[in-house]
Each structure stands twice: as C-alpha cells, then as structure tokens.
C-alpha cells in the first residue's frame, strides 16, 4: 500500500499542497492517510471484483435456467451507477472525468449489462477474424504457396514518372461577350459583331457561320489586314498608356446565321484561347398591315390583319387614334401554333453547343404570322390603326414610331403598310317633314312641288357623303285603299339627290312612301313619318243661294241672306260688288274659312241693291279666279229663318277611317224639325235630310267615313213646325286619318337584329304611324306563358327597352284615337347575346365524355401527352385550371396554373412524371368581351390515370440455383415477383460468366404477380450463370427496362465429377485470380502443371481458386472427387496463360517540369513494357499547392502500337498515367478500377 516510488510521492505531495487553493477539488480521503496511487489500486481491484461477479451471473443464466433476467439487468445497472457515482465522489486523481466522459461510461456499462443479462449473441469471432484479415491476408498462389495479394496487386512500379507543364499567361478571345441580340433587315443592311480580345494581337480570325435556313456551315476568315484595321479602331477608345485592357473588335456581317469563333491565330502563329460564346443574327422583325377598304359604316367591324415576319414568339405594340383622339397603346403577344416543339428545338440546339456539326437552328428562323384584328367601329369619323413596335424572340425591336413623320425609303416598310385608316360614316336617316298621313301636302294643279324630306344622322356626321340614293313608292290617289297598304299597282321609283334641302320634285297626286336610302358607302334608315300624301284640290268655285230677310213686325224685306257654297281649300276670299241704284258700285271682300257660309246683306239705306260676285281665291289657288261666266248677281229678297248650331263647332274633330262620327246639334224653334245638311269630301257633296226631330240637342250620326282626309259637315237648312225653312251656315271639319295607325320595328345596321353583351339593356327601334300617343302590345316568342304589359309611347321613332335575349314580336297597336295594324314583314326583332367564352374538349379516340367528366386515355408514367382545348368567344382568352394529383402512395397535391391564349385552339401539357390519378379542373375563363363569371361558367374536368411502369425482381436476389446439365426437368424454380397489371411479358438475360454475348429468354403471358421461373437447358451450359431481368411489360402496354446493375441470381450447372472455369478466357494477368467450379462430391483433388512441374491441390469444397503469382502456362490435367480416386479421375486439359503486367514510364520514370508559352507545345514521352498494342489513359491535373490536393482537369485515352509514344500538349497541368493496358492485361492506379487496380482484357 505504501510501496510507491519517491517520484510518485513527490507528485502526490505536490498535488496535495495545491489543494487549499481549490477546496472543492480536494480528494475525499486525504493523501496523508492513503496516497493517490493506492487509492487508484483499490478502486481498480474493486472494479475487477465487480466484473468477475457480473460474469458469474452471466454464466449462471445458462446453467441454472434463470428466468428473471430483467431483475439481474436492473441490479447491475444499479451497482454500476453506485460505483461510478461513488468513484466520482472520492475525487481520486486520474479517475476524475468530465460529465460527457461519465455519461459515456454509464451508457457503455448499460449496453454491456443488456448484452450479458439478456443473452444477446455477439459475433466476436467473426469480428476477430475480420480484424485479423486486415493485418494478415494470405492466399494460395498457382505455385501452391501462400502469398500476400496486396504485394502483387498494388505494384506501384508498373507506372512511373510524370510531367508538369507550366504555361505562361496568354490572351483569350470571345465573340459577343454581352450576349446581345442582332438582326438584319431592310433598314439595317448589316450587323456589327463584337469580338473581345485580351492580352493578344490576332493576325487571323476564323468564324463559323451556321445558316438559319439550310443549317449549312461555312468558315469566314478575317484576314490580318482587316484585324489590324479593327484593332486600330478599338485602340482609339483607350489611352495610349493602357495596353492591358481588353479590346473589342467590331466586325460587320450582312447575312443571318449563328456565328462562333472557330479559330484565332496570334502573332506567334499559335491559337488563342477561345471562350465558348456565340452570336445569333436573325432577320429584323417586320410588321405590316394588309390594307382593306377604308370606308366603313358606323357599327361595322374593322376586320383587317396584321402580318408579322419575325422569330416567334413575337410581341406587337400598336396605337389607335379616333378623330385625332389618341386611344392609347395595345400590346399583343403571339405564340406559335406549336410552342412546345419550338422550345424543344431550341433546347436541343443549346445542348449541342460544343458540337457544331449537330447544330439545329431551325427554331431561330423567321416565320410569317397573321393576326386578325376585329373591333366594332362605334364612333363615326376618322379611325387610324398604327403599328408602333414589333419585338421578336430575341428582343430585337422594329420601332416604327420614328418612321411616322418620315418618308419611307425604297426598301423600308411604307406608311401604308404600317397604318390602316378608316373613314367611318354615319348611316343616313330619312323622314318626311311637315307631311304625313294626317297632314297631306296640297299643291296647285299643273305646278311641280318638292317632297319635304328631312335628312338626319344618329350622331354628328364627320363627312359629306355627296349624293344619296332614294328609293320610294308612289300610289296614285285613286288607288289608295283604306288601310294604306300599297297594292300591286304601286310603283317603285329611284332618285339620286345631291341636296336634300331641294328634295325630290313630284307632280302627280297620291301617297309617296320612303322605302330606303343609302349614301355612297352606307345603307340608311327610314324613320317615321315615312309616307306623305300629295293632293291636288279642285280649283275654287262658288255657288250662291239667297233668301230675303223680312221685318218681323211688318213682314217687309230688309235684306238678303246669301248662302255661299264654295269648293276648294279654305280659307276663301270672295270678291263681290254692291251696286246701289243711283249711287254707284262699291267693291267688297269677304274672307271665309269654310266651304259654306251665309252672308247677310243688310244695307243701311233703302234702295234697290244689286250684288255681283266676281272673283274667288282659296288657300291653294291664291290668284283670284273670275266668276263672270256664272253671272252670280242677286237682289235683296230675304225671309226670317229658324236657328240651329253645332256645339263646339270650332273644335277640330277626328275620326277613324271606316267608322261613323257623331255631332251634337242644338236646335231652336218649335218641333218637329226637319234638318238638311251636307257632307263634303274630295269635291263630292252628299246631301242628307233628317225629319221628325223632336229632341234638342240632337245627336247627328253620319254614315261610315270610308275615305281618308278632311270631311266638312255643313248644316244647310232647318224647317220647324210652321213650315218655315231657315238657311243655316253651321259647319264642322272632321279629320279622318289617311291611313290606320301602324307599327313596325326599325333596323339596326340594316338588320332587324342586334348583338350585345349579355345582360345589357337594349333599345329596340320602333316605327309608328298615327297620332301620338301610341299603346304598343308586344311579346317575346320564347315566353310561352308569360305576358309583357303594353307600353305607352309618344314619338314616331320611339324605342322599347329590353334586357333578355330572344325574338320580340309586336302584336297590335292603338294610337290616340284609333286601333291600328302591325306590319307583318317588320313585326319581329331578334336580340342575340354576344356569346360568352366557352371552353370545350374535342372528343375522339383519346378523350371521351362520361357523365360530366372527360376521361382521357390512360398513359404510362413518363410518357409525353397533351390535350387539345377549343375556345368560342372573342380572342384572346385567359383561363385557369387546377391540377390535382392523387398518387398511388403518398398525400395528394394540388397546383394552380394560369394560361393566356391568343388563338381559338390550344393545348395543355399533361403531367405524367408521377403515377396516380390526375384531375384537371378548368375553373375560370374569360375573353376579350367578358371577364370570368362563376355563375355562368360550368367547370370542366379532365381525368387521366397515369399508370406506374411495371417492375420485376427476384424474391431471393444473390442466391445460386443449381441445375444439372443432363436433367431437363430438374433444377430449382426461381421465384420472381412482378408489379403492375397482368398478364406480363418478361425478358431475361442469361449471362454465363466470361461470355460477352448473353442468352435472351422471353416469357409471355404471365397471368399472376408471382411467377416460378424454370430455365430451359438450351439456355444453359456448364458453369455459373447470372440471370438478369432485362425488361418487363404489363397488359397496359407500360414497360420498364431494368437496371443492369439490379440484384440478380445465379444458376450453377454441374456434372459429376467435373471442373469448369468460371471464366472462358484463356489469358490471365499476374495478380488475377484463376477460378474454377467443381462438380461432384467434395473434397476434390485438382492436378495441374505449372513452371514445368506437376502439382496437386486439395480442394475441400467446390471452389478452386488460385492467384496468378508469376507469368507462365497453367494447365489443369485432371480432377477427382470423393467418389473417385486419383487413378480414376476425370482427364481434362484446361490451359490458361498468365501474362506479365504492362508497365509505362513517363519522362523516363522521373518527374520533369516544362514551361511553354500560351499556344506552345511540349512533348511527353511514354515508354511501355508488355505486349502491344498499348492503350493508356493519362490525366491532366492542377499543380498541387501547399496544403491542397490537386484537381483532375481532364482525362484522355491514347493507343500505341509501338513500345514508345510521344504526345504533344499545350495546356498547363500535371500529366501522369493512371491506367495502362496491353493486348492482355491492364493496370490502373484509380480506385474505380477495382481491387488492386488491374484486370484482364477480354475485348481485345
């Protein structure tokens, strides 16, 4: 206990003396009682005792069959915990640990207790064997002695030497360093390509040009003179002292194509480093407008095309000016019909950037694209569409804004091609003014008169359209029928009018009806009133009657009551003279506003009076007509009359054609009365007498008024009970409509139909004839049961406001006083909604509609697929769809996509990268006219199932199945599991070891997912075979090519007794293992000849393997097994040739360093040993710097048919051989070549 050395005591004492400064770290047992080494010894003895006790409990588990192992485990965990905590509390020097160390010890003891108490076996012997093999690895060689394989395989003397090349800094060149776009067009005859050079002065530059149209390649050589000129121009941009900055040479080209630097030669006749870059020169984008007829009518569509010649996709920016008011700019983005194919071509071209001969530049070719542009020209005036800019796929821009104020050059797109001008004309509207069916126009007989036509427009007309063509019908007055419908005798006439204020001159009386009007460019519209009656009234005439006026008291005559009966058009002016005997003649004039009146002639003086009526004029014939031929001379003779007058005689009466009218007559006198009256119409006078009238007032009802126009009812006389007849001068005018009230629909853009946005309120034009107001009854034909209330209208050209689509029909009409008729040829007006955008999926063999879902044909995972979609509406369209995936395994996923389409046909790419059920739900759709409306849009769903590719695998991969060569029915079955939809088609590859060409075995119609495979004998031979699954296909048509490195099984074919080489090769290399398989009953004896000696090897199992230690001939002569003897052995002769390993020396096997200039060459000498030809691989790596490993830059393969080869190199780096192979053998220093880095070549 006290036997520590003096040194130890000194150290302990030293430790003890330091403790007062740190009382917390002082040992629990002071060193003056037990020194530190003794404390460590006692702790170690205690730990060893506990370990022996633990092992005792462990072995007792096997002898006593103790079942309560958990209690033992818990006990030892507690003991270890107490020991470790107690040891930590004693604070013994060298046995004090940190918390992490303590935790590690605690866990280690817990794991030990778990392994021991629960009797968990640990392969300790296997671990020891593996560990021993690391330090002691020996194999039997062909000389039957044990050798170390590493000493043979890892022979570093086979590859010796390396060469290091240092390159002095040199220049470089790159074309188009900024990757700018270039184009050539009519206004730009050439493109200037920048070539940037750094630290070099080229004397020759070769450019590779790939033609965009033909894909042909050509080399363009820039001579030294041209390079010098470009260099001189580039130097002007820099100071004369700046010699190091890169210079940019500008080279002009006049042809399109893809340009690359093919070669750059500097002053030292060496090639300059070329950085990978390229310049693409395409045709500049050109935009033009295909001109169309410039004159349009208001409401028509623009209907013209913009043509773009450019590399798609393209973008067009155009402006629109209406009546000098700039409407802003619009942008159209146009993609080609098959964008996926163009993108694929472009990606394919870029992928082959290093292989010029494979370049495909078809994607950069110019394409001609036509874009239709349809807009409604809703405002009259000057419209101008102008192309401002056109962009192509490379962002080349054709800016035409600056050309609008310039004259186009001979090769430049003209202004007429860049702009489309429209003169939008108002549609003329024509109606009669001051003349209609109720107000006829009266003219003198024999004098022409212009029809009062009024020309108007819906808006403000911007143009004077020159002449107008007027189509009207004429109906002579005698042929007019009551309802004013024109009979077949109505004539159609056409007139060309330059000045509508002068109108159309006519002479004949009748009804003139406007049918149509058109200007030089537009069809017009006829408004109401569209009919005008022209009448020629008779010349004024006068007939007179007279009566004396007696004195009531004396009965003497006191005057004359003259009845004036006139024919003509009131008002009249009657010229007469009064002659008093002995006094003279006095001219008199009386104005009469009716056809009959009474003139009371009561002279103020007695005498004999003579009255002569000489002249007469009316409202039409204003020049007085002479009445001398009628000798209208009267003398006074008057009698007193009874009286009668019409109530409200001054009011203008209206009546309906074909119906009677009733007047109220107030009578005075003694009944019964006898009333005489006249009804005058169209120069016809009809006299009527009514007798036995007892009531007053009396309601006078006329006969039906069959003709239209003005009627005059005049009371001529009244006789009372006394028999005295009194002349009357009462009359009333009755206006009878020339035609019945009439209703019809007007036209919009020369049609009785219109189209508008859905839900918008539409005003349907009406054409009404008759007297305001009108009550119009109409209905919508699509409403079978619903009724529309009548509408009250006050204007001839009024409107009906509707908000529903359909065909509207006028049923009947009433004006202010009469029922009317409806024009059957114009009683309907159709309202169409501009169709909302709709999306449809064309059906066919690949897409069918099942219920409300489109089912697309199933595809296999990874196959390319797309679905066509069709649009109706107004392009461009925008839509959104949701892609939902329900995978076979895993959680569902959802993605949302937005797409814009400028065409009515498009397609979407179907996702097939993952197997499962895909649903594509089109949720939103809009177009140029409508935004998305979720209430009107019915989502479409496309469903497609993506099947996983089938797979096949062996249930027990790596297992060897045994077959006998001569037993066709024997052999083990190889279980195979398949996934997918049966039946399956399976293709197997049976590869015999060392045979390069495999056997292919196909198995069709496998109906289950588990298959027991039996291999036919004609696919097998003696030896071991590798069976690999090559391809599997299921009933869905999906197939999968299996990975050649996938797990496989082996089939061993044996015959007793026999020996077969595992490899068919005859030649081996030193270090290779020559392996054979033995068939029979082990153990075996193998007899062979090597190095001129007969040798015998005992083989305990069926594997016979020896490592080739030395070169020579290795020949197996016989083999025997347990059931045979050495005298009865199978005589064979299996010869193998062992070749020495090839070797190579670089730079005589030394490390040499060579420095060259950029573009210079250094020679590397390779010397070989072995059998030609020699194939070797060498690497170029970076020069290793301090603390860093070198990095391999490139690896090259070379071949030499001689024992030496010289290679020239111009790039900097460390050159060394990494692998060498001759006719038979190969050796590599790279780990990827396998163990030992050497192999035998079988493909020589």
């Amino acid at each position: 206990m006290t036997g520590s050395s003096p040194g130890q005591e000194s150290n302990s004492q030293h430790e003890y003396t330091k403790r007062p400064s740190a009382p917390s770290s002082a040992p629990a047992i002071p060193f003056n009682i037990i020194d530190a080494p003794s404390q460590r010894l006692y702790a170690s003895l205690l730990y060893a005792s506990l370990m022996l006790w633990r092992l005792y409990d462990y072995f007792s588990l096997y002898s006593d069959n103790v079942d309560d192992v958990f209690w033992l485990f818990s006990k030892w965990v507690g003991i270890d915990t107490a020991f470790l905590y107690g040891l930590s509390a004693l604070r013994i020097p060298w046995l004090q640990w940190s918390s992490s160390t303590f935790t590690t010890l605690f866990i280690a003891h817990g794991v030990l207790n778990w392994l021991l108490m629960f009797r968990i076996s640990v392969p300790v012997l296997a671990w020891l064997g593996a560990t021993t093999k690391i330090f002691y690895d020996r194999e039997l060689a062909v000389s039957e002695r044990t050798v170390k394989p590493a000493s043979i395989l890892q022979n570093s003397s086979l590859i010796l030497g390396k060469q290091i090349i240092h390159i002095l800094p040199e220049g470089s060149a790159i074309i188009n360093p900024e990757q700018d776009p270039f184009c050539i067009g009519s206004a730009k005859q050439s493109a200037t390509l920048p070539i940037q050079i750094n630290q070099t002065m080229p004397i020759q530059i070769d450019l590779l040009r790939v033609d965009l149209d033909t894909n042909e390649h050509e080399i363009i050589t820039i001579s030294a003179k041209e390079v010098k000129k470009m260099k001189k121009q580039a130097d002007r941009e820099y100071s004369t002292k700046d010699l190091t900055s890169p210079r940019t040479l500008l080279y002009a080209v006049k042809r399109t194509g893809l340009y690359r630097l093919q070669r750059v030669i500097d002053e030292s006749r060496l090639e300059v480093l070329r950085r990978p870059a390229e310049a693409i020169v395409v045709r500049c984008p050109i935009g033009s407008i295909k001109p169309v007829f410039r004159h349009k009518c208001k409401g028509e569509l623009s209907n013209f095309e913009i043509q773009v010649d450019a590399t798609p996709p393209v973008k067009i920016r155009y402006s629109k000016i209406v009546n000098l008011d700039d409407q802003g700019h619009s942008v159209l983005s146009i993609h080609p019909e098959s964008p996926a194919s163009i993108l694929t071509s472009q990606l394919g071209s870029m992928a082959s950037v290093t292989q010029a001969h494979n370049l495909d530049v078809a994607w950069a070719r110019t394409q001609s694209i036509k874009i239709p542009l349809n807009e409604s020209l809703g405002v009259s005036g000057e419209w101008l569409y102008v192309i401002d800019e056109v962009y192509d796929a490379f962002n080349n821009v054709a800016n035409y804004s600056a050309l609008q104020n310039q004259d186009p050059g001979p090769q430049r797109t003209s202004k007429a091609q860049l702009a489309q001008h429209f003169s939008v004309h108002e549609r003329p509207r024509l109606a009669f003014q001051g003349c209609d069916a109720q107000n006829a126009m009266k003219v003198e007989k024999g004098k022409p008169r212009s029809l009062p036509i009024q020309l108007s427009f819906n808006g403000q007309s911007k143009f004077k359209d020159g002449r107008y063509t007027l189509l009207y019908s004429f109906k002579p007055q005698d042929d007019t029928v009551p309802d004013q419908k024109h009979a077949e005798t109505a004539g159609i006439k056409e007139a060309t009018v330059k000045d509508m204020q002068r109108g159309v001159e006519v002479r004949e009386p009748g009804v003139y009806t406007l049918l149509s009007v058109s200007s030089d460019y537009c069809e017009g519209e006829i408004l109401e009133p569209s009919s005008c009656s022209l009448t020629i009234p008779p010349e004024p005439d006068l007939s007179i009657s007279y009566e004396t006026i007696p004195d009531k008291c004396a009965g003497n005559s006191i005057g004359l009551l003259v009845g004036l009966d006139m024919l003509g058009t009131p008002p009249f002016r009657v010229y007469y003279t009064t002659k008093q005997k002995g006094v003279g003649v006095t001219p008199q004039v009386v104005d009469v506003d009716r056809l009959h009146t009474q003139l009371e002639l009561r002279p103020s003086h007695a005498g004999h009076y003579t009255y002569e009526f000489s002249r007469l004029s009316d409202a039409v014939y204003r020049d007085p007509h002479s009445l001398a031929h009628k000798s209208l001379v009267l003398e006074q003779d008057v009698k007193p009359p009874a009286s009668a007058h019409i109530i409200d005689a001054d009011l203008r009466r209206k009546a309906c054609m074909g119906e009677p009218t009733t007047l109220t007559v107030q009578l005075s006198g003694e009944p019964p009365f006898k009333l005489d009256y006249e009804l005058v119409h169209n120069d016809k006078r009809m006299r009527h007498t009514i007798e036995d009238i007892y009531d007053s007032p009396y309601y006078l009802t006329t006969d039906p008024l069959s003709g239209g126009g003005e009627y005059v009812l005049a009371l001529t006389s009244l006789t009372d009970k006394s028999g005295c007849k009194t002349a009357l001068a009462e009359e009333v005018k009755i206006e009878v409509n020339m035609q019945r009230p009439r209703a019809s629909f007007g036209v919009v853009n020369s049609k009785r139909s219109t189209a508008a946005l859905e839900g918008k309120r539409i005003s349907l034009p009406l054409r009404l004839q008759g007297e305001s107001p009108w009550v119009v009854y109409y209905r919508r034909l699509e409403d079978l049961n619903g009724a529309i209330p009548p509408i009250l209208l006050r204007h001839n050209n009024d409107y009906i406001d509707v908000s529903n689509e359909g065909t509207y029909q006028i049923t009947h009409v009433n004006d202010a006083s009469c029922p009317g008729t409806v024009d059957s040829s114009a009683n309907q007006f159709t309202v169409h909604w501009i169709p909302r955008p709709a999306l449809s999926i064309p059906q066919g063999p690949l897409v069918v509609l099942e219920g409300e879902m489109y089912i697309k044909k199933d595809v296999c995972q990874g196959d390319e697929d797309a679905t066509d979609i069709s649009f109706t509406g107004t392009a461009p369209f925008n839509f959104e769809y949701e892609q939902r995936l329900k995978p076979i395994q895993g959680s569902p996923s959802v993605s949302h996509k937005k797409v814009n389409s400028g065409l009515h046909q498009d397609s979407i790419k179907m996702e097939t990268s993952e197997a499962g059920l895909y649903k594509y739900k089109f949720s939103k759709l809009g177009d140029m006219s409508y935004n998305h409306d979720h209430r009107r849009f019915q989502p479409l769903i496309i469903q497609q199932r993506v099947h996983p590719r089938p797979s096949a695998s062996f249930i027990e991969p790596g297992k060897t199945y045994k077959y006998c060569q001569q037993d066709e029915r024997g052999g083990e079955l190889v279980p195979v599991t398949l996934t997918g939809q049966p039946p399956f088609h399976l293709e197997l590859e049976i590869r015999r070891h060392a045979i390069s060409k495999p056997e292919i075995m196909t198995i069709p119609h496998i109906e289950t997912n588990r298959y027991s495979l039996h291999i036919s004998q004609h696919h097998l031979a003696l030896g071991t075979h590798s069976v690999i699954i090559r391809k599997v296909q299921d009933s869905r048509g999906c197939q999968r090519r299996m990975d050649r490195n996938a797990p496989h099984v082996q089939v061993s074919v044996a015959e007793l007794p026999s020996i077969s080489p595992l490899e068919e090769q005859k030649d081996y290399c030193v270090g290779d293992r020559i392996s054979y398989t033995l068939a029979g009953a082990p153990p075996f004896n193998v007899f062979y000849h090597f190095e001129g000696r007969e040798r015998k090897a005992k083989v305990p199992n069926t594997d016979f393997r020896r490592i080739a230690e030395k070169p020579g001939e290795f020949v197996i002569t016989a083999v025997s097994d347990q059931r045979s003897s050495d005298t009865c052995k199978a005589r064979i002769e299996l010869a193998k040739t062992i070749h020495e390993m090839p070797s190579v020396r670089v730079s005589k096997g030394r490390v040499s360093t060579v420095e060259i200039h950029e573009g210079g060459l250094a020679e590397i000498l390779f010397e070989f040993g072995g059998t030609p030809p020699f194939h070797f691989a060498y690497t170029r790596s970076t020069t290793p710097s301090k603390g860093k490993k070198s990095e391999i830059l490139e690896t090259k393969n070379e071949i030499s048919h001689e024992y030496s080869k010289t290679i020239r190199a111009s790039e900097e780096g460390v050159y060394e051989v990494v692998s060498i192979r001759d006719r038979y053998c190969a050796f590599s220093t790279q780990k990827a070549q396998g163990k030992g880095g050497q192999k035998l070549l079988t493909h020589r």
Side-chain angles (χ1 to χ4, degrees), residues 409-714:
Q411 302 296 329
R412 184 180 298 165
T413 304
S414 65
K415 292 182 181 179
Q417 292 175 306
L418 297 176
Q420 175 64 53
H421 176 262
F422 290 114
S423 295
V424 181
H425 301 264
E426 288 281 350
R427 297 182 184 272
R429 308 173 78 186
L430 213 60
F432 284 112
Q433 183 180 21
C435 179
D436 53 23
Q438 287 74 36
N439 300 297
M441 184 176 66
K442 300 176 180 180
V443 297
E444 293 184 30
K445 184 177 181 181
K447 291 186 177 181
R449 181 69 181 268
S450 297
L451 293 176
I453 299 175
Q454 180 183 19
L455 176 67
S456 62
F457 300 92
N458 192 23
Q460 183 178 1
S461 178
K462 305 293 182 181
F463 309 97
K464 293 183 179 180
D465 288 340
R467 59 184 182 179
Y468 298 87
T469 300
L470 176 65
L471 196 68
Y472 65 94
S473 66
F474 169 69
K475 178 61 139 177
Q477 186 174 5
D478 295 336
D479 296 337
T480 304
V481 294
D483 60 354
Q484 290 299 306
K485 291 184 179 179
H486 306 299
E488 295 181 355
T489 59
I492 306 299
K493 299 185 178 182
E494 181 178 338
T496 300
V497 182
K498 293 185 178 180
D499 185 4
M500 280 296 180
Q501 294 181 354
R502 298 181 60 181
V504 179
E505 282 191 350
V506 295
R507 293 176 180 271
E508 298 180 16
V511 178
Y512 292 85
T513 302
L514 299 176
L515 300 180
S516 67
V517 64
S518 62
S519 65
D520 290 341
Y521 308 105
C522 301
E523 290 289 332
E525 184 179 4
I526 301 299
L527 305 180
E528 294 296 336
S530 62
S531 296
C532 177
S533 296
L534 178 67
T535 61
I536 299 179
E539 296 181 356
D541 193 14
L542 176 66
S543 61
I544 61 175
S545 61
Y546 64 93
E547 294 179 359
T548 60
I549 303 175
D551 181 47
K552 293 183 178 181
C553 298
N556 296 325
S557 177
I558 60 173
L560 289 176
L561 186 62
V562 181
L564 302 179
D565 296 317
M566 290 156 286
L567 294 177
T569 305
F572 300 91
R573 177 165 286 188
V574 181
Y575 299 84
Y576 69 96
T577 60
T578 303
K579 180 179 180 182
Q580 185 179 6
K581 188 176 181 180
V583 176
V585 178
T586 302
Q588 301 285 336
V589 178
V590 61
D591 292 326
V592 181
D593 59 357
R594 60 194 72 185
L595 295 176
H596 177 79
T597 189
Q598 286 186 332
L599 178 65
E600 189 177 63
L601 301 176
R602 289 191 180 188
S604 58
H605 302 284
H608 182 77
Y609 290 87
T610 301
Y611 302 95
E612 183 179 2
F613 295 88
S614 59
R615 293 181 299 166
L616 178 65
S617 66
D618 65 359
V620 177
Y621 298 88
R622 298 188 179 276
D623 296 330
H625 282 56
S626 175
L627 302 176
H629 63 285
K630 301 191 70 172
S631 299
L632 299 177
V633 179
L634 297 177
E635 292 184 0
Q636 287 184 332
D637 187 7
V638 180
K639 296 181 180 180
S643 64
H645 69 277
I646 300 173
I647 297 177
D648 296 331
D650 296 331
L651 296 178
R652 192 176 185 86
R653 306 299 178 107
K654 292 184 180 295
C656 301
M657 183 180 291
E659 295 182 3
T661 186
T662 301
L663 303 175
T664 304
V665 181
Q666 185 70 40
L667 304 175
S668 61
E670 184 177 6
F673 298 98
K674 177 182 177 182
L675 179 63
D676 297 319
Y677 70 94
E678 295 176 345
L679 193 62
V680 181
H681 177 251
N682 288 339
D683 299 336
K684 296 181 181 179
R685 189 185 302 272
M686 294 171 286
R687 300 180 183 274
H688 300 273
T689 300
I690 303 175
E691 298 181 349
D692 298 329
I693 300 175
Y694 292 93
D695 298 327
S696 179
Y698 175 74
Y699 297 98
L700 175 61
T701 301
T702 67
D703 295 333
L705 306 179
S706 60
E710 183 180 88
Y711 285 77
V712 178
L713 189 148

Side-chain angles (χ1 to χ4, degrees), residues 114 232 514 728 753 808 985:
W114 176 66
K232 185 177 180 180
L514 299 176
L728 301 176
S753 64
Y808 292 85
H985 183 92

